[in-house]
Amino acid sequence: MMELIAQNMAPIMFLSLIAFLLMGYPVAFSLAANGLFFFLIGVELAPLSGGTISLDWNFLGTLPNRMWTQFSNETFLAIPFFTFMGIILEKSGMAEDLLDTIGQLFGPIRGGLAYAVILVGVLLAATTGVVAASVIAMGLISLPIMLRYGYDRRVATGVIAASGTLAQIVPPSLVLIVLADQLQVDVGTMYQGALLPSLMLTASYILFVFLLSIFKPSLVPALPKEARTLGHGVTSLLVVFLLTAGVTYGTYRWLEPSWGANADMIGLIAGAVFAYIVALLDKHLKIGLMSRLAQQVVIVLIPPLTLIFLVLGTIFFGLATPTEGGAMGAAGALVLAIIKKRLNLDLLRQALQSTTRLSAFVMFIMMGARVFSLTFYGVNGHLWIEHLLVSLPGGEMGFVIFVAALVFFLAFFLDYFELAFIVIPLLVAPAKAIGIDLVWFGVILGIVMQTSFMHPPFGFSLHFLRSVAPKRAYRDPVTGQTIEGVTSGQIYLGAIPFMLLQLLMAVIVVLFPTLVTGNKTAHATPGAEVSFELPDLGNSLPPLGGVAPLAPAPTGSETGGGVGGLPGLAPLPGLAPAPAGTESLPGLAPLPGLAPAPEAPATPAIPGANSLPGLGAPPGLEESLGQPAAGAEKPVSGANSLPGLGTPPGMDGALN
């Protein structure tokens, strides 16, 4: 019985962890306790495991070093930076300004408020990167307005919850940072791979609302005229957009000869600064060039868009690491808060508290994961997982589908950080063994993990929205009407269509990997030919020890017994010599037991002809290689030896 337990310690340990989590214990402590408990058992059962368990008490001494290595990872510094940036922007009122302005812009059309929520969700995702902040902000600001003007409660709550989860997949996402680290790929490359799928997912949300506005217009009504406080002025906004595009293009063409590839970035910044300055001058000097709506849209949209572009642009162009980009974003958020005159000590205190809380949460999970992995790898759990997953039917596609389904199921109980630190490290080795592109794999996992926020009734996004949505009937302060509250069932029903859209996006990425990888394939092609060239050193190396330079190899002497066309490999025992003219790598002497040389008089070995200079027959192989044929001349010094070192000791007799 004990031997059976010892030989199956890995699956028992994994199932025990799931049991701990289902009982409601904190994840970090469940990981650490599970790891230490099974470490004690594993050390005692190691002699009975038949070599399956390789745990020893000394391994506990490696824990501090393993944890320090993890905590000193510079990539993880991006997490507090981006968190701080997002909280500063959210607390400074950016979300409120964006929702109000974009809601006014799209208000005249059916579903306009839903479009505004989705677009603001993308902007908040790219600036805050925190789902809770996005969902709570939009729930507090947009939900009362949507209920006031007759939006269906399921549509309103579903749009808000789903738009908030875009923070999981839109760069610079905290999830993508952790996934990139666990999958051992570059964060910038992960950001680039996730960009197009995240935009497509956003477009699918917009398409869903558009179809509702056509087939069920009563669910997503337009804003009434009296609610459009900024009036009209779309034409003025289009004119500003065209002028901005002209300034951008002109700056690009002007700077391209001197700045090269960076001219497009400078052109975009110049266009944004031009539009922002014109809008500010027009507003404060009351020139009247732009409509009030156009002024507000430019003034509200340009600062966060510029910040997003600076952070992501510098990362994508390779000018900054994700950590440096996060630091720049945090500094930029402080500057924007100062410009809006909303930065104070209370705001800083709240931002620092929230950032510290999230960073400590991540660190504790990392510590528990390190303790768990020490034991799990000691009982060969990684090999058990690898053999289990690599042997799945369907090859690469079967592996991806199974893992996606597994993560989707586990997302009912675990959030994205817990999944990233517990499950993802176990999937790296099998994915590499199959030859899967890890960036493509990471984006698929990121999209599937995004559904962890939308699972009824477990989704965190749904709980965040529930905390701010009205539970009972209330009197609207604007219209004075009594508005019914929102039930939990309505929130859950509203989340289901958007969760299905997320899963559909994951399927599309699985079927079309080039959406992530571009032109390169998403998997390693088995049996691909790899060609390489060795540098031609010739015979120009100076002699060592005063020996004269080696003579060049005569023309036609470069042929040798190559196996499979690889230069320099002599024929294996029993194989006929390769025909003359076959390219071979000079320098590998025949192995013992090879067919005897031709009966023609032997020619002295010349460096570069069929041997590496100075590497003659290994000691002890003289007899098996045979003596030179009659009439053969004594090999020249250096022909079968290292240049300048003469014949190796003990070889004189073999060469005489």
Side-chain angles (χ1 to χ4, degrees), residues 54 312 360 520 568 587 633:
S54 56
L312 291 182
K520 70 172 186 174
E633 299 178 7

Side-chain angles (χ1 to χ4, degrees), residues 146-284:
M146 299 173 85
L147 297 179
R148 178 185 306 156
Y149 296 112
Y151 268 71
D152 182 82
R153 283 161 173 73
R154 293 166 300 176
V155 175
T157 55
V159 167
I160 291 173
S163 300
T165 62
L166 289 172
Q168 295 295 283
I169 195 65
V170 174
S173 162
L174 301 183
V175 175
L176 296 178
I177 295 174
V178 177
L179 279 176
D181 178 79
Q182 296 301 303
L183 293 172
Q184 304 166 19
V185 298
D186 179 64
V187 177
T189 306
M190 184 71 79
Y191 280 174
Q192 291 177 346
L195 186 61
L196 182 56
S198 64
L199 295 178
M200 291 177 63
L201 182 60
T202 305
S204 70
Y205 291 174
I206 294 174
L207 179 61
F208 176 72
V209 174
F210 176 73
L211 294 176
L212 284 179
S213 67
I214 294 177
F215 297 105
K216 296 284 186 179
S218 61
L219 302 181
V220 286
L223 276 178
K225 188 173 182 180
E226 60 271 15
R228 305 172 204 163
T229 56
L230 293 179
H232 300 281
V234 177
T235 304
S236 175
L237 185 62
L238 290 176
V239 172
V240 173
F241 176 77
L242 292 175
L243 289 175
T244 302
V247 172
T248 300
Y249 182 72
T251 305
Y252 166 72
R253 293 303 301 264
W254 178 44
L255 296 177
E256 185 184 16
S258 56
W259 289 82
N262 293 328
D264 49 1
M265 179 186 293
I266 300 174
L268 286 170
I269 295 175
V273 170
F274 166 78
Y276 191 70
I277 291 176
V278 169
L280 285 178
L281 292 176
D282 189 59
K283 180 179 180 179
H284 293 290

Side-chain angles (χ1 to χ4, degrees), residues 435 521 523-528:
T521 56
H523 54 83
T525 306

Side-chain angles (χ1 to χ4, degrees), residues 11-264:
I12 294 173
M13 184 178 178
F14 190 75
L15 293 175
S16 299
L17 174 63
I18 301 230
F20 272 120
L21 296 175
L22 291 178
M23 285 189 288
Y25 289 101
V27 174
F29 300 118
S30 297
L31 285 168
N34 192 277
L36 290 176
F37 176 72
F38 279 95
F39 186 92
L40 298 176
I41 297 176
V43 171
E44 298 300 326
L45 295 183
L48 305 176
S49 66
T52 304
I53 300 176
S54 56
L55 293 176
D56 185 84
W57 291 114
N58 294 327
F59 283 2
L60 285 177
T62 65
L63 268 179
N65 185 55
R66 288 166 62 87
M67 290 183 182
W68 174 253
T69 301
Q70 187 74 48
F71 294 152
S72 60
N73 187 344
E74 188 177 312
T75 302
F76 283 128
L77 279 176
I79 293 177
F81 283 141
F82 282 122
T83 304
F84 182 81
M85 177 183 78
I87 294 172
I88 287 289
L89 292 175
E90 186 260 328
K91 298 289 185 184
S92 64
M94 183 193 72
E96 183 177 352
D97 294 341
L98 285 171
L99 284 167
D100 180 62
T101 303
I102 298 180
Q104 293 283 328
L105 179 63
F106 289 96
I109 61 176
R110 287 195 297 264
L113 284 177
Y115 295 142
V117 168
I118 294 171
L119 293 176
V120 171
V122 176
L123 293 175
L124 291 179
T127 51
T128 66
V130 181
V131 173
S134 299
V135 173
I136 291 174
M138 292 190 294
L140 288 171
I141 300 166
S142 294
L143 186 58
I145 300 174
M146 299 173 85
L147 297 179
R148 178 185 306 156
Y149 296 112
Y151 268 71
D152 182 82
R153 283 161 173 73
R154 293 166 300 176
V155 175
T157 55
V159 167
I160 291 173
S163 300
T165 62
L166 289 172
Q168 295 295 283
I169 195 65
V170 174
S173 162
L174 301 183
V175 175
L176 296 178
I177 295 174
V178 177
L179 279 176
D181 178 79
Q182 296 301 303
L183 293 172
Q184 304 166 19
V185 298
D186 179 64
V187 177
T189 306
M190 184 71 79
Y191 280 174
Q192 291 177 346
L195 186 61
L196 182 56
S198 64
L199 295 178
M200 291 177 63
L201 182 60
T202 305
S204 70
Y205 291 174
I206 294 174
L207 179 61
F208 176 72
V209 174
F210 176 73
L211 294 176
L212 284 179
S213 67
I214 294 177
F215 297 105
K216 296 284 186 179
S218 61
L219 302 181
V220 286
L223 276 178
K225 188 173 182 180
E226 60 271 15
R228 305 172 204 163
T229 56
L230 293 179
H232 300 281
V234 177
T235 304
S236 175
L237 185 62
L238 290 176
V239 172
V240 173
F241 176 77
L242 292 175
L243 289 175
T244 302
V247 172
T248 300
Y249 182 72
T251 305
Y252 166 72
R253 293 303 301 264
W254 178 44
L255 296 177
E256 185 184 16
S258 56
W259 289 82
N262 293 328
D264 49 1

